[in-house]
């Protein structure tokens, strides 16, 4: 399946109720724009502290081994697991080059059926078998052809170590989204990785899982070569390649020694400084189940590991040293403290010469049993064209294979029959499933009033500015339009882009108020409206709160679930036998889920709301959907299934 640049109107977020500046209810000292992030950091801190206590209790090899096994199982489950069987690699050599003291073979293989990987294998001159080193790339646009990664591989090959460097998805010859001119369908490899991740998470998979499997199959290819000794395998990579090195060295026991560069820090320091990065670097529930960067090292203990860092890197060095100290203590308790080390050089982020040399020397020490200090000489790297494996320069154009977006769709189709059974479940079973997916507690708290102030308008004296708290640290600003003689169910409106700027209702809600005497409540949920960090063009592909969405996933509390808790707490606060809920734009799925969990919601009105999660998977480029992601939800139900389950309650659908 060739992924092309597609969009669907239903994926676009609704326009704001008003174009003017939004009505402000929270005060500057309440710091509304950072409220959600501060709350998430507070919740994360609880888990960080619990993990520190647990690690301190690991006082025997038996306890360390038990935790290694448990963490690996949780790690694999969190990324969606791996295929049950390894499919044929169908590998072929498509070209070769001669270098000084080595040769390069351009190769293509399939990590999954019809899902192609392009790679360069650097083989030393002389008689093998040689140790083999996997070199995952960082986020270079040209992937394996980037000069720094070529030089790392050439340096290894000139010093007796074969090296395999492969293109990650979204880079080099493996763009997963291309236009008719074979150019990127979405700018930037990290954007493509995260766009893949949106669909992958919905079907219970992950960008990290896809990329780790590519790495595992690349080791399979390396070990299949007669020139390589499969018992002497190493792994080193920088930045995004450092991420993959960390993952692979923790999960694949064939990796004897490893040297991740410019990645290892600690999540606590990462979140306090740079913040979470693209999808592959965020594992669902990672903080909640207690896996930090140090665990990538200690999960493989006592196999040799070198942490390479840059003094001027944006990945925090304080976190790197904290992680190193923790790993050192674990290795020492296993009787091999000398097998973990840290190399720091005073330069900026990148696989620079000092770190390339350090990684090469580490590989020689543990794979060749030679402890020396060769240096990198001056040599010429190859051109992108020389290292190219495909005719066109893109695997999708040459082979019309399955892209990562296609893998998402394949996974969604696997669960189609399961989703069909959702409506036939009992109400209790459906609600239990929804609660589990959203990670909601059995008992929803009632929103507590923090403040109320009369908001005078010329034509109305019964409007109030209100603030309620759904859980500690989460304030929900709103407007209450209280009718003197209310009739019918009160209306709870979940705003998407902020409260009405002039404090007045849109015409269709005004009619409910004046003609039908309905009481109206309008609220901004967490991270929305005046608590949003940005809207419009500045929001980019992933909405105004991508970092908050990833932090929420680290907590195993998806943002949509947290916002559904807000809505349910407000329904409990209104405390009426029947309530109408209105979900506008991004709040549409929140309204549906609230209705599924509280039968007091008698009428559901949706305006410009997302119609289905399956449509997000089917459409490679969506906008603003990261905050709506619920991991694995399409393994259970889709939004249309949720709608059908609400029958015979009335669902109104509006378009502006």
């Amino acid at each position: 399946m060739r992924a092309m640049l597609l969009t669907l109107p239903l994926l676009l977020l609704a326009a704001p109720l008003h174009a003017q500046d939004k009505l402000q209810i929270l005060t500057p000292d309440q710091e509304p724009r950072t409220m959600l992030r501060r709350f998430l950091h507070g919740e994360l801190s609880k888990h960080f502290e619990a993990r520190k206590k647990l690690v301190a209790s690991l006082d025997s090899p038996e306890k360390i081994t038990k935790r290694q096994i448990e963490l690996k199982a949780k790690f694999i489950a969190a990324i969606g697991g791996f295929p049950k069987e390894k499919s044929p690699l169908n590998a072929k050599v498509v070209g070769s080059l001669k270098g000084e003291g080595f040769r390069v073979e351009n190769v293509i293989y399939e990590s999954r059926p019809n899902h192609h990987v392009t790679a360069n294998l650097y083989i030393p001159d002389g008689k093998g078998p040689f140790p083999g080193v996997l070199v995952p790339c960082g986020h270079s646009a040209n992937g394996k052809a980037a000069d720094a990664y070529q030089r790392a591989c050439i340096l290894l090959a000139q010093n007796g170590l074969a090296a395999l460097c492969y293109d990650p998805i979204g880079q080099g010859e493996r763009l997963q989204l291309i236009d008719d001119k074979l150019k990127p369908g979405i700018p930037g490899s990290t954007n493509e990785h995260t766009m893949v991740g949106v669909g992958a998470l919905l079907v219970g998979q992950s960008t990290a899982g896809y990329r780790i499997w590519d790495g595992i199959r690349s080791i399979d290819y390396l070990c299949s070569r007669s020139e390589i000794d499969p018992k002497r395998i190493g792994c080193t990579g920088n930045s995004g390649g450092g991420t993959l090195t960390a993952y692979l060295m923790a999960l694949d026991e064939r990796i004897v020694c490893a040297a991740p560069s410019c990645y290892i820090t600690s999540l606590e320091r990462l979140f306090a400084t740079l913040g979470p990065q693209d999808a592959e670097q965020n594992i669902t529930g990672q903080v909640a189940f207690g896996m930090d960067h140090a665990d990538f090292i200690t999960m493989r203990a006592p196999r040799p590991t070198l942490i390479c860092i840059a003094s001027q890197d944006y990945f925090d060095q304080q976190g790197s040293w904290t992680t190193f100290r923790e790993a050192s203590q674990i290795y020492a308790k296993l009787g091999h403290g000398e097998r973990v080390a840290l190399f720091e050089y005073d330069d900026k982020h990148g696989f620079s010469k000092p770190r390339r040399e350090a990684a090469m020397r580490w590989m020689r020490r543990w794979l060749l049993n030679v402890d020396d200090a060769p240096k990198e000489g001056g040599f010429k790297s190859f051109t992108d064209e020389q290292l190219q494996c495909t005719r066109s320069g893109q695997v999708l154009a040459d082979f019309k294979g399955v892209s990562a977006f296609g893998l998402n769709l394949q996974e969604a189709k696997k669960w189609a029959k399961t989703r069909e059974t959702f409506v036939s479940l009992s109400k209790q079973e459906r609600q239990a499933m929804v609660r589990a997916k959203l990670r909601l507690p059995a008992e929803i708290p009632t929103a507590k009033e923090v403040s109320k102030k009369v908001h005078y308008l010329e034509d109305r004296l019964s409007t109030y500015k209100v603030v309620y708290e759904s859980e500690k640290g989460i304030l929900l600003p709103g407007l209450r339009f209280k009718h003197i003689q209310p009739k019918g169910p009160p209306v709870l409106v979940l705003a998407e882009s902020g409260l009405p700027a002039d404090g007045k209702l849109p015409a269709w809600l005004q009619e409910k108020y004046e003609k039908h005497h309905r009481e109206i409540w309008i609220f901004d949920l967490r991270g929305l409206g005046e608590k949003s960090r940005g809207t419009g063009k500045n929001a980019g592909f992933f909405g105004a709160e991508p970092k908050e969405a990833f932090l929420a996933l680290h907590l195993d509390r998806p943002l949509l679930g947290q916002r559904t808790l807000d809505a349910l707490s407000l329904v409990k606060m209104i405390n009426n036998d029947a309530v109408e809920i209105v979900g506008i734009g991004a709040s549409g799925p929140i309204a549906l889920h609230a209705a599924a969990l509280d039968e007091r919601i008698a009428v559901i009105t949706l305006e410009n709301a997302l119609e289905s999660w399956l449509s997000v998977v089917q459409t490679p480029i969506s906008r603003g959907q990261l905050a709506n992601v619920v991991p694995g939800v399409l393994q259970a139900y889709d939004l249309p299934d949720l709608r059908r389950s609400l029958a015979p309650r009335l669902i109104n659908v509006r378009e502006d």
Side-chain angles (χ1 to χ4, degrees):
M1 178 182 296
R2 182 180 176 185
M4 297 298 292
L5 181 60
L6 300 172
T7 57
L8 286 180
L10 61 89
L11 295 179
L12 297 178
L13 297 179
L17 289 174
H18 295 271
Q20 305 98 314
D21 291 337
K22 305 299 180 292
L23 179 70
Q24 298 293 308
I25 292 179
L26 297 175
T27 60
D29 63 291
Q30 291 171 317
E31 302 179 63
R33 288 186 179 273
T34 62
M35 181 180 295
L36 176 56
R37 189 172 294 190
R38 285 184 283 114
F39 169 80
L40 294 171
H41 278 293
E43 295 299 296
L44 290 163
S45 293
K46 297 174 185 177
H47 290 287
F48 290 140
E49 290 305 312
R51 182 188 172 278
K52 289 173 185 175
K53 292 179 181 178
L54 176 60
V55 171
S57 72
L58 300 175
D59 55 6
S60 70
E62 292 76 19
K63 289 182 180 179
I64 293 169
T65 300
K66 182 175 181 289
R67 187 162 185 271
Q68 286 175 325
I69 295 170
E70 292 173 348
L71 275 185
K72 285 180 183 178
K74 290 177 180 179
F75 188 5
I76 293 171
I79 60 177
F82 297 130
K84 292 180 181 179
E85 297 181 356
K86 290 183 176 180
S87 56
L89 287 168
N90 297 325
K92 55 185 176 181
V93 177
V94 295
S96 62
L97 300 165
K98 186 69 180 74
E100 186 177 338
F102 66 96
R103 74 180 190 275
V104 181
E105 291 186 356
N106 299 339
V107 299
I108 301 174
Y109 46 91
E110 298 175 30
S111 60
R112 300 170 188 257
N114 211 21
H115 185 63
H116 299 86
V117 180
T118 44
N120 301 129
L121 177 60
Y122 297 72
I123 307 171
D125 289 346
K127 186 178 180 180
F130 304 100
V133 180
L134 187 69
V135 183
C137 291
H139 292 109
S140 51
N142 58 345
K144 65 188 181 307
D147 185 71
Y149 306 129
Q150 283 194 55
R151 291 187 177 278
C153 293
I154 293 171
L155 180 61
L156 289 165
Q158 288 182 335
N159 286 279
L161 302 133
L164 179 68
C165 190
Y166 63 99
D167 283 325
I169 57 172
Q171 298 168 240
E173 300 178 73
R174 296 187 70 207
L175 297 180
Q176 303 294 287
L177 198 60
I178 55 176
D179 62 19
D180 291 333
K181 295 181 180 179
L182 307 187
K183 300 298 182 183
I186 181 172
S189 59
T190 55
N191 281 334
E192 187 182 283
H193 292 170
T194 300
M195 197 62 77
V196 168
V198 169
L201 287 167
L202 288 171
V203 298
Q205 296 295 311
S206 64
T207 303
Y210 291 160
R211 292 205 55 196
I212 291 168
W213 190 247
D214 280 350
I216 289 172
R217 298 314 313 276
S218 295
I219 295 174
D220 289 343
Y221 175 72
L222 196 55
C223 292
S224 75
R225 294 291 299 249
S226 61
E227 303 94 334
I228 307 302
D229 181 353
K231 294 183 179 180
R232 292 186 291 165
I233 299 297
C235 187
T236 185
N238 184 77
S239 190
T243 306
L244 263 293
T245 299
Y247 293 167
L248 289 165
M249 72 187 192
L251 296 176
D252 197 317
E253 294 186 359
R254 293 173 296 181
I255 297 175
V256 175
C257 70
S261 173
C262 288
Y263 170 66
I264 294 292
T265 176
S266 72
L267 290 179
E268 190 168 16
R269 290 300 302 160
L270 176 68
F271 295 161
T273 53
L274 191 61
Q277 299 302 292
D278 60 317
E280 77 215 38
Q281 297 188 15
N282 295 282
I283 308 300
T284 299
Q286 181 174 350
V287 173
F289 67 75
M291 186 175 74
D292 208 328
H293 281 202
D295 295 302
F296 298 137
I297 303 167
T298 58
M299 268 191 278
R300 59 180 273 103
R303 284 173 288 160
T305 307
L306 174 69
I307 305 167
C308 297
I309 68 173
S311 301
Q312 302 172 48
D313 202 346
Y314 39 75
F315 283 103
D316 184 73
Q317 300 80 45
Q318 179 183 329
S320 304
W321 280 99
T322 298
T323 285
F324 170 61
R325 285 193 293 272
E326 179 183 314
S328 297
Q329 292 170 8
I330 296 294
Y331 271 67
K333 290 174 182 178
L334 294 174
H336 294 285
E338 77 285 355
R339 293 185 183 179
V340 63
L342 185 147
F343 173 82
E344 179 174 2
Y345 192 80
D346 188 13
D347 60 3
K348 296 181 179 180
H349 184 86
F351 215 177
S352 64
K353 180 179 176 181
R355 278 182 291 282
R356 295 195 296 266
E357 290 178 337
M360 175 270 295
R361 294 169 184 174
W362 189 254
M363 299 297 156
R364 282 175 61 82
R365 174 185 295 180
W366 297 105
L367 298 179
L368 287 173
N369 200 28
V370 177
D371 195 2
D372 57 4
K375 293 187 177 182
E376 179 181 311
F379 49 76
K380 187 177 181 180
S381 55
F382 299 102
T383 66
D384 289 23
E385 291 74 18
Q386 288 176 304
L387 297 176
Q388 186 171 306
C389 302
T390 57
R391 290 187 298 274
S392 68
Q394 290 299 325
V395 292
L396 290 181
D398 275 26
F399 303 112
K400 306 296 189 291
V402 180
S403 70
F405 294 100
L407 295 177
N408 290 343
L409 189 55
Q410 286 180 357
E411 196 69 23
K413 290 178 178 177
K414 281 170 51 177
W415 297 94
K417 290 185 178 180
T418 302
R419 294 194 295 274
E420 289 174 3
T421 65
F422 179 77
V423 177
S424 64
L425 299 174
S426 69
K427 179 187 69 177
Q428 291 76 15
E429 289 173 323
R430 290 196 304 267
Q431 289 185 339
M433 187 176 290
V434 170
R435 286 182 185 277
K437 289 297 180 185
L438 299 189
R439 302 296 192 261
L440 288 173
E443 183 64 30
I444 300 295
T446 302
K448 299 178 181 178
E449 184 178 89
V450 175
S451 67
K452 180 173 70 173
K453 182 180 180 181
V454 176
H455 181 56
Y456 290 100
L457 294 173
E458 292 180 5
D459 60 344
R460 193 182 302 110
L461 297 178
S462 53
T463 306
Y464 298 88
K465 291 180 178 179
V466 296
V467 178
Y468 283 82
E469 186 177 57
S470 58
E471 57 181 319
K472 189 172 182 180
I474 295 295
L475 302 180
L476 309 176
L479 291 174
R480 181 185 183 185
F481 297 83
K482 185 177 180 181
H483 206 286
I484 298 174
Q485 296 178 323
K487 296 179 182 179
V491 181
L492 173 61
V493 181
L494 309 180
E496 177 194 44
S497 301
L499 302 173
D502 55 7
K504 295 183 179 180
L505 295 169
W508 66 279
L509 282 173
Q510 183 73 15
E511 183 179 5
K512 284 180 181 286
Y513 178 78
E514 292 184 348
K515 185 176 179 180
H516 301 287
H517 294 198
R518 304 282 291 280
E519 181 169 294
I520 312 291
W521 299 76
I522 303 180
F523 279 95
D524 287 338
L525 305 183
R526 67 183 73 193
L528 295 174
E530 64 184 274
K531 298 187 298 302
S532 172
R533 295 181 66 86
T535 56
K537 292 181 179 179
N538 293 331
F541 288 104
F542 307 110
E545 62 289 290
K547 292 185 183 296
E548 286 80 0
F550 279 133
L551 293 176
L553 289 176
H554 273 278
L555 286 167
D556 201 23
R557 289 190 63 189
L559 203 48
L560 187 141
Q562 294 187 45
R563 288 170 174 169
T564 301
L565 183 146
D566 291 343
L568 289 169
S569 72
L570 292 169
V571 171
K572 289 189 72 173
M573 175 274 297
I574 292 171
N575 193 26
N576 201 76
D577 291 340
V579 175
E580 177 179 351
I581 195 167
V582 178
I584 300 173
S587 295
I590 301 167
L592 277 177
H593 281 85
L597 295 171
D598 195 325
E599 291 186 73
R600 287 175 294 189
I601 299 175
V603 179
I604 302 95
T605 297
L606 304 174
E607 181 177 300
N608 298 321
L610 178 69
E611 293 183 8
S612 84
W613 276 312
L614 183 59
S615 68
V616 176
V617 177
Q618 291 171 329
T619 308
I621 294 183
S622 61
R623 288 186 179 271
Q625 293 304 317
L626 186 59
N628 274 334
V629 162
V630 176
V633 70
L634 287 176
Q635 295 177 342
Y637 62 90
D638 196 359
L639 296 176
D641 306 312
L642 205 57
R643 291 189 191 192
R644 285 192 291 271
S645 75
L646 298 178
R649 284 181 277 177
L650 178 62
I651 299 179
N652 301 312
V653 179
R654 289 180 42 83
E655 299 290 339
D656 63 359

